[in-house]
Amino acid sequence: VTAEFGARPQGWGLFGYSEGGTCALTLTLRHPQLFSTFVDIGGDQTPNLGTGHARDLITLRDLFGNDAADRAAQDPLTLLAQHHYDGVAGRFVVASADPPARRSASVLLPAAQAAGIDAVRIDSAGHHSFAFVSSVAPATFGWLADRVAATPTGSARVGPR
């Protein structure tokens, strides 16, 4: 993107739904020098592979090659506990009929705020569906675009707790 379109290599924003929301948050936390803004629509609390009683074991094995340190390095709560994020902002957008996303946002929002992120939770009527995403996308994507356009290059900073 920087080579082809001449975009500056900092201050970008990420917008994602479901696992994409989890990725938007995680990438922002791992690379705040590149991504200063995120929108997490219906995301999970941590990267995972599905549901069920064996989800954590399957996730550790199949997504992280049984490397617990790698899993911790991708866990939003671990990252939020270890770092302070100056200049980063985010939105956790949840549907009223999406209990897993509501639980995740309830845990992630205060952790993000405690880590210095200008974060808010937006609750709206709906289910975990693309219809929900299309109903909230104009406002949330507009906010992200306005914020990225106004963010000076390199303004997001991360430091140890």
Side-chain angles (χ1 to χ4, degrees), residues 114-139:
I117 296 174
D118 175 12
V120 299
R121 175 176 164 165
I122 299 168
D123 290 86
S124 191
H127 298 272
H128 193 87
S129 67
F130 286 110
F132 177 72
V133 175
S134 69
S135 73
V136 299

Side-chain angles (χ1 to χ4, degrees), residues 35-158:
F35 308 108
S36 62
T37 308
F38 69 89
V39 174
D40 174 349
I41 301 175
D44 291 323
Q45 186 173 317
T46 188
N48 66 80
L49 292 175
T51 60
H53 70 282
R55 179 184 83 170
D56 290 340
L57 292 173
I58 292 168
T59 298
L60 181 61
R61 183 190 70 211
D62 295 351
L63 193 58
F64 298 105
N66 285 320
D67 186 339
D70 188 28
R71 182 176 187 165
Q74 307 294 330
D75 178 61
L77 288 176
T78 300
L79 294 166
L80 289 165
Q82 293 175 343
H83 304 286
H84 189 81
Y85 296 86
D86 292 323
V88 174
R91 300 292 182 258
F92 296 96
V93 184
V94 295
S96 59
D98 186 357
R102 294 175 64 78
R103 282 190 299 275
S104 292
S106 292
V107 172
L108 291 167
L109 176 63
Q113 292 170 332
I117 296 174
D118 175 12
V120 299
R121 175 176 164 165
I122 299 168
D123 290 86
S124 191
H127 298 272
H128 193 87
S129 67
F130 286 110
F132 177 72
V133 175
S134 69
S135 73
V136 299
T140 54
F141 190 78
W143 168 82
L144 182 141
D146 289 344
R147 169 140 164 88
V148 170
T151 301
T153 300
S155 67
R157 298 281 184 255
V158 64

